[in-house]
Amino acid sequence: MEQRRGRRLVLIPLPLQGHINPMLQLAHILHSNGFSITVIHTTFNSPNPSNYPNFNFYSIQDGLSETEYTSDLLNFIIALNIGCVTPFKECLMKMLSDTSEEPIACMISDAMCYFTQSVADSIKLPRIVLRTGGVSSFVAFSAFPFLREKAYLPIQESKLEEPVAELPPLRVKDLPMFNTKEPEKYYELICRFVKETKNSLGVIFNSFEDLESSALKTLSQQFPFPIFPIGPFHKHFPEDSTSSSLSSLISQDQSCISWLDKHKPNSVVYMSFGSLAAITENEFLEIAWGLSNSKIPFLWVVRPGSICGTEWLEALPSGFMENLEGRGHIVKWAPQQEVLAHQAVGAFWTHNGWNSTLESICAGVPMICMPCFTDQKVNARYVTHVWKVGLQLEKGVERKEIEKSIRKLMEENDEGKKIRDRALKLKEDAMLCLKPSGSSCCSLEGLVNYILSL
Ligand code: UDP
């Protein structure tokens, strides 16, 4: 059925924190460019519509349970892509049949919601994809069949340090893998999400030309459609208006800011491993002792449930915090963008989720990289070896290396200074691309015209 086209966009986020934030930021960007926004979301991890009075929200019954999600991310994404097909199609058909509403120009789907491509095809609605990760990691994902052909995959323990000659500067251990008992399922999931991205009419990236020019070039040679690097999304607007606190699924502890206010510029290391990564109790203790021994003040996000086998901080030795005499502050969830923008923060110890990586780049804060899975490994390698704005913990989580890395980044020394200087320069580049003739600004103009031409 052919539809009349209007300026209404239907957005479909993957219901995970690192995907909801950029999708809703994109919604703001497009809304301010004259589009009306409808978000179709799952009941699981649904955004709060009252934070977005300018957008419409439709909830679909996904049949997903909290247990299904927390216990197994891989099978959660697969289940979502099966369970959402029918309710999503019914919801769209209802919207299309309502002639009092503005016609839909296109849908913009998270790349991981690959089920939306067949629905889009069946009702002849154009589909554009938002890839919430970086371009360089997407190039690595799209190389999976080739990597298998060349025997890089499945990964062999004995080859972890070897370079992947075709994807410099990645080593075998930097490939975007996921620790699972079902590696074949993971491989198929990646191939499927890349395939359905290729079948779309275009891809939007929360990245910018100067940051990932080489990966953008590679991708444009491989993909038959336009690519729109229009990021960094969260910098399109003044800090507060589209703050990720609006889309935060966990309430952000504002005590971080008053605690940071008491510290000197560039004196605090901020640590967070995002919304999904988990560490062992032993790693948790090594981190705690590394921090304590470094004598550098720290603000640490310990998400409840993120230390395997414990609820929150029970594993800390008794008296640990008291002995620090105010040098450490631990919270369950932080207002991360505000924290990174705070002058007291001198380094970010991160798992290198793409949002965290980009937020750190935009704040000019150098990173200590501790990637856990998938694209985080690629991002960390780019941070340390392409943009050179961070150090990676290469020997696992070990208190001596932690102490050394923190000191290297935070104290006066040549290597640390070079890294800090490059981080400030990269921040400037990130701001330039959003100026009126900057690359992301031009790409956004291209995206708006492209949507209107569909
Ligand atoms: N975040 C936050 N408070 C925290 C930790 C993270 O608001 O204490 C936000 C962060 O700003 C980012 C998102 O959660 O926008 C995490 O996304 P990312 O891609 O870095 O990691 P993921 O959670 O997907 O692993």
Side-chain angles (χ1 to χ4, degrees):
M1 125 180 84
E2 274 300 332
Q3 304 296 328
R4 286 185 305 127
R5 306 276 179 239
R7 291 186 76 102
R8 184 181 184 197
L9 303 175
V10 174
L11 271 47
I12 307 104
L14 183 78
L16 297 176
Q17 187 72 76
H19 293 248
I20 294 172
N21 289 357
M23 183 62 92
L24 286 165
Q25 288 157 0
L26 176 66
H28 276 288
I29 295 169
L30 293 170
H31 183 260
S32 71
N33 276 273
F35 291 97
S36 68
I37 302 292
T38 298
V39 178
I40 301 186
H41 61 88
T42 54
T43 43
F44 175 77
N45 272 353
S46 62
N48 181 355
S50 63
N51 285 338
Y52 303 92
N54 294 325
F55 305 163
N56 291 313
F57 288 84
Y58 286 93
S59 171
I60 53 172
Q61 295 298 327
D62 45 61
L64 300 165
S65 70
E66 177 85 17
T67 5
E68 207 164 349
Y69 155 53
T70 43
S71 60
D72 187 344
L73 187 59
L74 171 63
N75 282 306
F76 165 76
I77 293 177
I78 294 170
L80 177 130
N81 274 283
I82 295 168
C84 288
V85 175
T86 307
F88 175 65
K89 188 168 178 178
E90 282 169 6
C91 180
L92 264 183
M93 296 297 285
K94 212 159 133 202
M95 284 167 62
L96 289 169
S97 63
D98 185 349
T99 47
S100 67
E101 289 280 356
E102 189 178 356
I104 299 170
C106 75
M107 68 165 80
I108 301 181
S109 162
D110 189 292
M112 278 292 172
C113 296
Y114 53 79
F115 75 91
T116 54
Q117 184 62 49
S118 64
V119 178
D121 289 342
S122 71
I123 55 176
K124 296 201 167 47
L125 197 61
R127 172 181 180 262
I128 292 179
V129 159
L130 167 64
R131 173 58 193 153
T132 57
V135 188
S136 311
S137 61
F138 190 76
V139 167
F141 282 127
S142 64
F144 264 35
F146 168 82
L147 292 169
R148 179 174 270 194
E149 203 183 291
K150 292 271 177 181
Y152 290 111
L153 297 182
I155 284 182
Q156 296 165 48
E157 286 295 313
S158 59
K159 297 197 169 158
L160 287 177
E161 299 295 333
E162 289 184 10
V164 179
E166 298 83 354
L167 291 175
L170 301 188
R171 299 158 300 181
V172 169
K173 69 179 189 187
D174 303 316
L175 289 173
M177 303 314 290
F178 182 69
N179 199 1
T180 170
K181 289 196 190 86
E182 301 174 289
E184 192 55 31
K185 240 186 191 179
Y186 177 67
Y187 178 85
E188 277 165 19
L189 171 75
I190 298 304
C191 291
R192 184 76 195 274
F193 114 86
V194 171
K195 175 175 168 240
E196 300 302 9
T197 300
K198 262 188 181 151
N199 284 337
S200 76
L201 295 176
V203 191
I204 302 167
F205 280 100
N206 186 12
S207 188
F208 55 97
E209 182 73 45
D210 267 358
L211 190 67
E212 297 196 277
S213 54
S214 151
L216 280 163
K217 203 165 153 211
T218 307
L219 210 60
S220 61
Q221 283 156 3
Q222 290 173 4
F223 278 57
F225 51 55
I227 296 164
F228 302 100
I230 64 165
F233 292 177
H234 69 291
K235 287 291 171 188
H236 275 257
F237 302 94
E239 295 298 332
D240 295 341
S241 61
T242 58
S243 159
S244 66
S245 62
L246 295 178
S247 54
S248 192
L249 298 166
I250 312 176
S251 104
Q252 297 178 327
D253 187 336
Q254 292 295 331
S255 71
C256 299
I257 304 301
S258 45
W259 187 84
L260 286 172
D261 285 343
K262 295 188 199 119
H263 288 83
K264 289 195 207 116
N266 298 322
S267 65
V268 173
V269 56
Y270 165 63
M271 302 162 58
S272 166
F273 307 136
S275 63
L276 300 168
I279 54 175
T280 63
E281 196 174 317
N282 184 48
E283 288 171 330
F284 175 66
L285 287 174
E286 287 300 307
I287 292 173
W289 286 118
L291 285 168
S292 169
N293 297 344
S294 77
K295 305 274 185 273
I296 305 276
F298 63 87
L299 169 61
W300 186 3
V301 176
V302 181
R303 218 180 61 248
S306 65
I307 304 151
C308 304
T310 69
E311 277 184 24
W312 194 38
L313 301 178
E314 321 71 281
L316 273 187
S318 71
F320 179 85
M321 289 306 284
E322 291 74 10
N323 290 338
L324 292 171
E325 297 173 337
R327 201 162 49 71
H329 189 59
I330 299 185
V331 295
K332 292 181 175 168
W333 195 244
Q336 181 160 301
Q337 288 173 23
E338 268 178 83
V339 166
L340 287 170
H342 197 289
Q343 58 166 2
V345 172
F348 181 16
W349 181 350
T350 169
H351 71 311
N352 288 113
W354 182 247
N355 296 289
S356 295
T357 303
L358 201 57
E359 288 162 15
S360 202
I361 286 173
C362 291
V365 175
M367 286 168 254
I368 297 174
C369 303
M370 194 180 87
C372 298
F373 50 73
T374 62
D375 63 327
Q376 298 159 16
K377 293 165 184 263
V378 179
N379 303 339
R381 188 69 176 163
Y382 272 72
V383 166
T384 55
H385 284 75
V386 178
W387 310 314
K388 299 183 179 159
V389 292
L391 299 169
Q392 181 158 354
L393 295 174
E394 293 281 2
K395 295 186 200 140
V397 186
E398 193 272 318
R399 65 184 77 180
K400 279 241 153 46
E401 198 195 357
I402 290 171
E403 185 189 336
K404 214 169 95 193
S405 305
I406 294 178
R407 285 179 181 280
K408 206 182 264 176
L409 268 196
M410 301 288 292
E411 291 177 347
E412 280 314 313
N413 63 75
D414 271 2
E415 191 183 348
K417 183 171 183 324
K418 278 187 190 143
I419 293 176
R420 287 193 295 273
D421 288 349
R422 278 193 293 263
L424 288 175
K425 168 74 179 65
L426 196 55
K427 172 187 175 178
E428 276 172 30
D429 293 345
M431 297 306 111
L432 281 177
C433 74
L434 293 175
K435 297 260 183 248
S437 55
S439 64
S440 292
C441 210
C442 296
S443 186
L444 174 59
E445 206 179 303
L447 172 64
V448 169
N449 292 332
Y450 184 63
I451 293 174
L452 294 175
S453 75
L454 289 171

